[in-house]
Amino acid sequence: MKRVRKAVFPVAGLGTRFLPATKAIPKEMLTVVDRPVIQYVVDEAREAGIEHFIFVTGRNKAVIEDHFDVQFELYDTLAQRGKNDELARLQRLQPSPGQTSFTRQQVPLGLGHAVWCARELVGDEPFALLLPDMIMQSEKSCMKEMVELYAETGNNIVAVQECDPAEAHKYGIVGRGEDTHHGFRITGMVEKPKTGTAPSNLYINGRYILQPEIFGILEGQEKGAGNEIQLTDAMLKLEKQQPFYGCHYQGRTFDCGSPEGFVEANVAFALWRSDVNGNMAGAIRKLLDELKPSEQRGAAF
């Protein structure tokens, strides 16, 4: 059984829900407290033992590559000014030479196509896939739990969480089979099931460990929903050949692809940090007491 050494991050999206903020800045570089969203996702992969970080980018995404590069002028300035704590923190987050790779998704054909674009960099080995819109908050990272389950099963792993059954039609939902090891056997997957037809209330939260055979399926995958190549469609075909297991993640997940989820993540991570939570808690209480909804204030946006 090959170890999971590589992770793929599809970061080619345009971030239209965040315009005008994302007109010149990639949505993955918007900050939650004091670090970009993509940094949280890479840190999660690193905690799980991932050694090679593969980014599937698009036009106007070069700043992501710059973020994970060494900035000599900045490092030198911090050292000369005696800002050793700040310098050490940046160096801890810095990938080692050769640990990052970047490839382009020239046309926006969906998540399945983005994953397929990483095929040459992944090669013939299992890989992690982390959607950068989704960031997690827990004592043990979601991907670390998944890698541990993979070590027990040696097969495809999908992280899931519970949702309100009434909201199941908004997500990719899995069917739950027998419990095994620290997870459960997945009996089926359906993307955005019709109301009342979902096999469970367990939704796929944007974390996967997949076998390389997925690339052969994506090679000839026809376009699906939204006229895009859907990863779920390819996984359904792979499921007929290989087992899939669910990792039931118990932490918090924030969808930073939406303005509401992004703001929620900023609040949650600020309150989670001992260096800022005291001031933030008081500020939030004060705002809740003082601010009224915009329609009551007659504000126009």
Side-chain angles (χ1 to χ4, degrees):
M1 184 176 64
K2 295 181 179 179
R3 190 165 63 88
V4 181
R5 301 186 310 110
K6 299 180 180 180
V8 174
F9 306 89
V11 293
L14 296 176
T16 53
R17 287 187 288 179
F18 277 94
L19 287 170
T22 51
K23 183 179 179 181
I25 301 173
K27 63 177 181 177
E28 297 84 8
M29 291 301 295
L30 298 177
T31 55
V32 171
V33 189
D34 59 0
R35 62 180 66 182
V37 169
I38 188 62
Q39 184 71 63
Y40 287 91
V41 186
V42 170
D43 289 346
E44 179 185 340
R46 182 185 283 113
E47 182 184 339
I50 299 297
E51 301 170 354
H52 191 175
F53 311 102
I54 301 168
F55 299 87
V56 182
T57 71
R59 287 181 293 277
N60 301 320
K61 299 281 185 169
V63 67
I64 296 176
E65 187 170 353
D66 291 340
H67 174 72
F68 291 103
D69 199 358
V70 174
Q71 297 187 22
F72 293 103
E73 297 85 354
L74 174 61
Y75 289 9
D76 183 62
T77 299
L78 291 175
Q80 290 186 29
R81 295 180 179 178
K83 295 184 178 293
N84 298 321
D85 291 343
E86 291 85 348
L87 178 58
R89 182 170 59 175
L90 290 177
Q91 291 173 332
R92 284 195 301 270
L93 298 175
Q94 180 72 50
S96 300
Q99 276 195 312
T100 56
S101 296
F102 297 82
T103 187
R104 284 288 186 101
Q105 182 187 19
Q106 288 92 341
V107 287
L109 292 178
L111 176 59
H113 181 258
V115 172
W116 179 76
C117 288
R119 66 197 182 282
E120 297 294 339
L121 293 169
V122 171
D124 187 25
E125 58 184 285
F127 65 98
L129 171 64
L130 298 91
L131 304 192
D133 284 349
M134 315 299 285
I135 64 174
M136 316 299 204
Q137 186 184 71
S138 58
E139 293 299 330
K140 179 190 287 188
S141 77
C142 181
M143 184 52 63
K144 187 170 184 178
E145 290 187 17
M146 295 175 68
V147 168
E148 291 173 354
L149 180 58
Y150 172 80
E152 297 172 344
T153 65
N155 284 290
N156 304 280
I157 309 292
V158 177
V160 299
Q161 288 181 259
E162 295 178 2
C163 69
D164 184 338
E167 302 291 312
H169 64 281
K170 298 179 180 180
Y171 306 101
I173 302 294
V174 305
R176 179 165 190 156
E178 72 277 7
D179 291 342
T180 177
H181 303 284
H182 291 90
F184 62 90
R185 185 72 178 264
I186 289 178
T187 59
M189 290 175 278
V190 57
E191 188 69 29
K192 297 182 179 179
K194 293 181 179 179
T195 301
T197 66
S200 74
N201 69 329
L202 296 174
Y203 75 94
I204 300 172
N205 70 5
R207 299 291 187 269
Y208 312 79
I209 293 176
L210 298 171
Q211 295 294 325
E213 286 78 12
I214 194 75
F215 294 122
I217 296 173
L218 289 169
E219 179 82 35
Q221 182 67 42
E222 297 179 355
K223 293 180 181 179
N227 201 32
E228 296 180 337
I229 297 174
Q230 298 292 338
L231 179 65
T232 302
D233 293 342
M235 290 196 301
L236 286 170
K237 292 181 180 179
L238 184 59
E239 184 189 23
K240 297 177 181 178
Q241 307 168 20
Q242 300 175 356
F244 273 73
Y245 291 88
C247 179
H248 193 173
Y249 177 61
Q250 301 293 334
R252 300 184 183 93
T253 298
F254 304 97
D255 181 4
C256 290
S258 71
E260 299 85 356
F262 177 73
V263 173
E264 183 182 2
N266 268 280
V267 173
F269 276 90
L271 293 176
W272 214 41
R273 285 179 41 169
S274 59
D275 57 334
V276 296
N277 66 355
N279 292 334
M280 280 301 303
I284 291 170
R285 293 191 191 96
K286 185 177 180 181
L287 287 172
L288 289 173
D289 290 339
E290 294 179 355
L291 290 183
K292 297 179 180 180
S294 59
E295 60 269 19
Q296 295 183 22
R297 292 185 281 119
F301 294 95

